[in-house]
Amino acid sequence: MRIGVFVCHCGSNIAGTVDVAELAKRALTLKDVVHADHPMYTCSEPGQQAIIDAIKEKKLDRVVVSACSPHMHEVTFRRTCDKGGLNPYLFEMANIREHCSWIHTEMPVATEKAWDIIRMSVAKARQLEPLWSNEVDVNKDVLIIGGGVAGIQAALDLADAGLKVTIVEKETTIGGVMAKLDKTFPTIDCSACILTPRMVDCGQHQNITLMTYSEVEKVSGYVGNFTVDIRKKASMVDWTKCIGCEICVQKCPSKAPDVFNIGLEPTKAIYIPFPQAVPKRAAIQVDFCRYFQTGKCKVCERVCPAGAIDYEQKDEIVRKEFGAIVVATGLDVFPWEDYYGEYGSGKIKDVISGLQYERMLNASGPYGGHVHRLSNGEDPKTVVFIQCVGSRDESVNRPYCSGVCCMYTAKQALLTKDHVGMNTEVYVFYIDIRATGKGYEEFIKRVQTEFGVKYVRGRVSKLYESNGKVMVRGTDTLLGEQVEIAADLVVLATGITAAPGAKELAQKLNISYDEFGFMKEGHPKLRPVETNTAGVFLAGVCQGPKDIPATVAQASGTAAKVIGLLAKDKLKTSPMIAVVEQKNCVSCFKCIEVCPFSAPEKQEQRDGSFKSHVIETVCQGCGVCVATCPVNCIALKGFPTDAILDQIQEALLV
Amino acid sequence: MADTTTTTQASGAAQGAAPGSTGAPAVGKPADRPVKVIGIVCNWCSYAGADTAGVGRFRQPANLRLIRVPCTGRIDPLFALKAFQAGADGVLISGCHPGDCHYSEGNYYARRKFELLERMIHHLGIPEERFKWTWVSASEGQRWQKVVTEFVAGVEKLGPREGRAL
């Protein structure tokens, strides 16, 4: 055996704490190691060339790169080995950066630990064997979960590229949060004017199938071949007949909370969220419907000119196959009422959330764009905005910045002056102003100077009602004094929180998420729209707070990645899978019981008996069967038992 | 391999000065060497969590040596016993939180095995404080630091194991 070891400097990332030259020298003393080097940047072009040259010149049959995490560059170096003519699975990586140089400070300590890690990796490398990938057919259909602006953008990009796209959206219409907005910063463009044509495009595109009022129930399979069960929720309206005329909505006698307008005014039990809905179809909120609650009514059935009402409708599970999945589930507004007792917990009528104010400003909202006090309907003379409600606040477990509130507050402050009049007093309480996008800082300046919005640096400690006003008590930290403002209307710059059900969806897709429910990208810079599950991609706020331009850009980036994946007719599967040594199999079939993917099967032998056999293209390489097999006759390629035991031995050599 | 042995002893001595590590280096007296802990972690959650800790420069004691496997479900409990047999002072197993397994349910199989191992390990003459299994997700760099630091501190309290046999 001829092993080559490359101990990377990674500039000073590793060499600053680990004596890489010394380790390369020591590596040469190890059994089977015939070549050792310490390149400055092993992943760079000359670094990779050095590996290729060494494979050829020194006839290496194993390569160990001691550098960063395999999650960072394992794929890179496998490719390098391949180029050098070495089977890419005869490569092993020793992580001496993330797991060593970056967490230790003292050179001797880190160097000795790195030495252990390198020896362990060499020990593993000795046990590796060449592996070859299989090829599977690729389904070229794409599932997009979430029909907000991210899902819409990704869908249109993919559909224009000729791929068949299905959008699954839990509400009855696509559009998401952007459909609720009045204007967008920093241009004060009309949100609906930008979005609704895109929504219509989605509805009419021959390559896009809309499945609204539906949710993902179950996901199985793997990249290129996912099987997804989608629950089509019962809307009690036959959407093949419904023409969206809204007569049922006008005649319905039952009131229900209006989710689209964030509870500002009630809607009807049978509803269409907004006039530009796509698809424009009615649905009954069963919990509030008089017929479903009392057994009498059926007004909607009588008035419907299309005969679309169907009280017997049941949820339906639709099974579909996809090659790739894009998650674009967006966000929810931080539920401030549950956390901010000092702001009245939602009991003060004239204290509303940023999104509620957006609906109030919106001409197609419940008030036709009339800004007024909810307590008495009068125009407000003094409006106060409070920033960072549910953002940058550890006391409510939201230490992160939502990224959009500074800007939307400035926009709403401007629009307040625009709707109510320039003589309206508008105050903004802020911690810092974060205006990092293109044209954002200029916009803030314009709001402050041209529109005369007064910015007060400090947090509001209490809101309370007094003499028909909302008293805003806070501190001006720049002047160092207490401030009290009698406001007519208070708008909270409510932050972004992960969409409800985001964690459950992530679990169904086997992708990672953080403590706040935002989904984790493969790598923040190298794989920002991929997840660690091949074939599952991210777009928009489900990955972390961002504004509309960033969301749209990311969605297009995601679409490009999906197109890249599905441009191939065949996909290479990982050869690191389980293989049964059938001569030792005792036919207990425990492997079949434990496998999460039903990869092992009973295979008939020549003598008529049955032994276990793992279907290569189905196996995902978890190794659960390997640890379960009572006679140890299943091997996991790439992670052989002997390698693990040798790593243990090597780590403990004293 | 003579070279290897001496350097590894040096490694032991050097680690005596590591943060979180106690005990003065004393070559030749095995009871005074720094403890060595074997960690076996899944590729998707805990190995990545350790990466996240590294990227975030969350300092940790230098006593841990990690072995990466695809899933905790792939870990034979005998690996832990082999490690103790080979002289490990502690064994740490970590994978994805319940519900988060990359392979849907591998960590549930692991949980059953390691619950059992945890309960029986003192029958083999190993105090249960020397064995730990837990969950650390890919985003929990800080939690990884805490798990490692606390576990190593607990093993250090017991000190290095004198005999290697189980």
Side-chain angles (χ1 to χ4, degrees):
Chain A
M1 198 170 284
R2 299 176 66 80
I3 305 177
V5 178
F6 300 84
V7 190
C8 187
H9 286 244
C10 196
S12 63
N13 284 306
I14 295 169
T17 358
V18 170
D19 188 345
V20 290
E22 162 70 13
L23 291 180
K25 203 171 82 190
R26 277 195 217 169
L28 277 175
T29 67
L30 294 174
K31 183 173 159 265
D32 302 324
V33 174
V34 296
H35 176 81
D37 196 2
H38 51 96
M40 183 54 80
Y41 289 103
T42 315
C43 60
S44 68
E45 203 267 321
Q48 293 192 46
Q49 192 56 45
I51 296 176
I52 293 171
D53 293 344
I55 292 171
K56 288 179 179 160
E57 285 161 21
K58 301 276 176 81
K59 298 194 168 37
L60 301 182
D61 56 10
R62 299 286 186 284
V63 167
V64 173
V65 171
S66 174
C68 50
S69 169
H71 287 205
M72 185 92 183
H73 277 319
E74 190 174 59
V75 176
T76 313
F77 293 123
R78 282 204 202 288
R79 218 181 290 131
T80 311
C81 290
D82 201 22
K83 273 187 208 159
L86 182 68
N87 183 286
Y89 295 91
L90 294 174
F91 165 78
E92 178 60 20
M93 206 151 179
N95 182 349
I96 60 166
R97 193 178 75 168
E98 282 84 347
H99 291 188
C100 187
S101 72
W102 275 353
I103 54 169
H104 306 307
T105 46
E106 291 169 60
M107 173 92 67
V109 176
T111 303
E112 295 312 327
K113 178 172 170 180
W115 176 229
D116 279 5
I117 295 172
I118 290 170
R119 288 197 336 272
M120 289 164 73
S121 299
V122 170
K124 182 176 176 185
R126 289 192 192 105
Q127 298 288 354
L128 295 177
E129 51 181 286
L131 303 174
W132 288 273
S133 297
N134 230 314
E135 283 189 334
V136 287
D137 289 330
V138 177
N139 182 320
K140 303 220 171 186
D141 295 355
V142 184
L143 168 66
I144 295 181
I145 307 171
V149 66
I152 289 170
Q153 181 67 35
L156 289 172
D157 287 351
L158 290 164
D160 286 345
L163 298 167
K164 299 278 182 205
V165 180
T166 299
I167 299 180
V168 170
E169 164 60 49
K170 68 176 192 296
E171 304 295 344
T172 60
T173 172
I174 57 170
V177 176
M178 188 174 169
K180 301 179 184 185
L181 305 182
D182 180 36
K183 302 285 190 293
T184 58
F185 58 78
T187 47
I188 317 294
D189 257 343
C190 158
S191 185
C193 310
I194 304 169
L195 187 69
T196 42
R198 310 291 277 162
M199 290 166 61
V200 173
D201 286 351
C202 269
Q204 294 176 346
H205 206 296
Q206 56 174 2
N207 286 343
I208 299 178
T209 306
L210 293 183
M211 289 184 74
T212 56
Y213 213 45
S214 300
E215 292 190 44
V216 169
E217 187 82 2
K218 191 170 157 241
V219 181
S220 58
Y222 50 92
V223 55
N225 294 280
F226 291 106
T227 302
V228 183
D229 287 352
I230 301 161
R231 176 180 293 272
K232 274 179 85 172
K233 296 183 279 189
S235 62
M236 307 304 166
V237 177
D238 183 343
W239 283 8
T240 59
K241 294 179 183 164
C242 177
I243 51 170
C245 65
E246 293 192 73
I247 294 174
C248 55
V249 181
Q250 289 157 15
K251 302 292 181 191
C252 175
S254 309
K255 286 185 174 175
D258 188 349
V259 177
F260 188 79
N261 285 313
I262 317 110
L264 279 179
E265 292 294 325
T267 179
K268 298 290 184 64
I270 190 163
Y271 71 105
I272 292 175
F274 59 106
Q276 302 92 337
V278 174
K280 196 176 180 190
R281 298 287 181 266
I284 295 177
Q285 298 192 54
V286 172
D287 292 346
F288 302 94
C289 169
R290 186 173 294 177
Y291 171 68
F292 279 96
Q293 296 308 313
T294 66
K296 287 183 192 142
C297 181
K298 293 202 175 183
V299 166
C300 47
E301 191 181 52
R302 280 201 302 276
V303 301
C304 178
I309 307 296
D310 175 7
Y311 298 116
E312 302 302 315
Q313 209 177 67
K314 297 270 180 296
D315 284 10
E316 188 189 339
I317 304 287
V318 181
R319 175 164 291 186
K320 288 189 150 212
E321 314 272 329
F322 299 100
I325 298 174
V326 175
V327 187
T329 47
L331 64 118
D332 198 9
V333 174
F334 182 76
W336 70 274
E337 297 93 337
D338 302 339
Y339 291 86
Y340 286 89
E342 65 269 38
Y343 295 166
S345 298
K347 293 197 181 74
I348 306 173
K349 274 197 160 182
D350 292 317
V351 179
I352 60 175
S353 75
L355 198 55
Q356 284 176 323
Y357 192 55
E358 205 70 44
R359 294 310 297 155
M360 185 185 273
L361 287 163
N362 197 310
S364 68
Y367 309 119
H370 177 221
V371 172
H372 62 284
R373 306 188 67 195
L374 288 175
S375 57
N376 59 13
E378 287 173 9
D379 284 4
K381 292 184 186 63
T382 306
V383 181
V384 171
F385 291 87
I386 303 174
Q387 294 208 187
C388 297
V389 178
S391 304
R392 304 181 69 196
D393 189 346
E394 288 188 18
S395 68
V396 299
N397 191 31
R398 291 298 185 282
Y400 57 83
C401 172
S402 291
V404 293
C405 325
C406 287
M407 292 308 298
Y408 84 60
T409 297
K411 172 197 73 182
Q412 291 177 344
L414 181 152
L415 291 173
T416 306
K417 293 261 187 178
D418 182 61
H419 282 233
V420 191
M422 283 301 279
N423 55 353
T424 319
E425 290 280 314
V426 180
Y427 297 89
V428 177
F429 281 86
Y430 70 101
I431 304 178
D432 301 293
I433 297 170
R434 297 192 165 172
T436 54
K438 191 175 179 181
Y440 289 10
E441 179 64 21
E442 297 91 319
F443 180 73
I444 296 270
K445 279 280 164 319
R446 203 177 139 222
V447 168
Q448 289 173 335
T449 53
E450 197 177 315
F451 288 83
V453 174
K454 298 184 181 95
Y455 273 70
V456 183
R457 188 178 190 279
R459 243 199 135 81
V460 171
S461 57
K462 196 167 175 60
L463 297 177
Y464 62 99
E465 286 176 290
S466 175
N467 294 328
K469 298 270 184 184
V470 182
M471 302 305 291
V472 181
R473 188 186 291 166
T475 319
D476 185 329
T477 54
L478 293 179
L479 293 174
E481 55 189 36
Q482 289 285 322
V483 192
E484 196 158 65
I485 297 167
D488 298 309
L489 182 62
V490 175
V491 181
L492 306 175
T494 27
I496 287 174
T497 194
K503 282 183 192 174
E504 290 73 16
L505 180 65
Q507 291 178 348
K508 283 176 193 161
L509 293 163
N510 296 326
I511 59 176
S512 304
Y513 54 90
D514 69 16
E515 58 189 300
F516 307 111
F518 294 115
M519 294 169 191
K520 199 168 179 341
E521 65 283 356
H523 185 281
K525 279 99 177 168
L526 298 175
R527 303 173 67 233
V529 300
E530 294 98 325
T531 65
N532 276 335
T533 296
V536 180
F537 300 83
L538 305 175
V541 179
C542 67
Q543 180 259 339
K546 54 181 73 64
D547 59 15
I548 294 168
T551 295
V552 173
Q554 192 188 29
S556 284
T558 303
K561 285 289 176 186
V562 174
I563 293 166
L565 173 75
L566 300 181
K568 303 169 191 109
D569 292 322
K570 300 259 185 190
L571 279 186
K572 281 192 170 172
T573 58
S574 166
M576 305 218 287
I577 55 166
V579 177
V580 181
E581 205 181 330
Q582 286 185 328
K583 71 175 170 22
N584 293 331
C585 173
V586 293
S587 310
C588 68
F589 301 120
K590 286 202 167 68
C591 46
I592 295 180
E593 283 173 41
V594 299
C595 178
F597 309 100
S598 309
E601 59 177 358
K602 293 178 184 175
Q603 193 178 53
E604 192 169 358
Q605 307 295 296
R606 278 185 192 169
D607 63 0
S609 68
F610 285 87
K611 302 255 176 172
S612 174
H613 167 258
V614 175
I615 309 166
E616 278 177 60
T617 51
V618 180
C619 178
Q620 298 299 298
C622 67
V624 167
C625 59
V626 181
T628 304
C629 178
V631 291
N632 293 319
C633 80
I634 310 179
L636 184 62
K637 301 290 175 191
F639 291 94
T641 299
D642 284 347
I644 296 169
L645 296 177
D646 284 0
Q647 281 173 283
I648 292 172
Q649 288 289 347
E650 199 65 47
L652 295 166
L653 268 187
V654 176
Chain B
M1 294 295 282
D3 210 22
T4 319
T5 317
T6 37
T7 46
T8 319
Q9 270 176 357
S11 114
Q15 277 165 14
S21 177
T22 56
V27 181
K29 283 171 77 181
D32 286 342
R33 67 182 165 79
V35 298
K36 218 171 218 185
V37 173
I38 296 290
I40 310 178
V41 292
C42 82
N43 177 51
W44 304 99
C45 291
S46 294
Y47 191 91
D51 279 355
T52 306
V55 174
R57 312 301 199 269
F58 290 112
R59 308 275 175 231
Q60 296 154 45
N63 312 59
L64 179 70
R65 301 292 176 267
L66 273 192
I67 294 166
R68 178 171 71 122
V69 291
C71 178
T72 43
R74 193 260 174 272
I75 307 173
D76 189 328
L78 285 175
F79 293 166
L81 299 183
K82 284 277 185 190
F84 282 120
Q85 200 175 27
D89 301 303
V91 174
L92 172 69
I93 310 279
S94 186
C96 307
H97 287 275
D100 294 1
C101 177
H102 185 77
Y103 305 101
S104 302
E105 48 200 56
N107 55 351
Y108 294 136
Y109 292 112
R111 178 165 67 183
R112 289 185 209 166
K113 291 173 190 168
F114 293 112
E115 278 268 16
L116 196 61
L117 182 64
E118 192 176 30
R119 287 178 200 192
M120 60 174 279
I121 201 156
H122 72 275
H123 293 294
L124 302 169
I126 296 164
E128 58 186 41
E129 291 84 358
R130 292 195 185 273
F131 175 74
K132 184 181 173 71
W133 64 272
T134 188
W135 320 121
V136 176
S137 84
S139 61
E140 292 177 325
Q142 212 161 352
R143 177 169 153 72
W144 176 254
Q145 176 194 40
K146 189 167 170 272
V147 163
V148 172
T149 309
E150 287 177 1
F151 181 60
V152 168
V155 174
E156 278 177 341
K157 217 178 214 176
L158 297 171
R161 286 171 63 232
E162 295 201 6
R164 284 196 175 188
L166 286 171

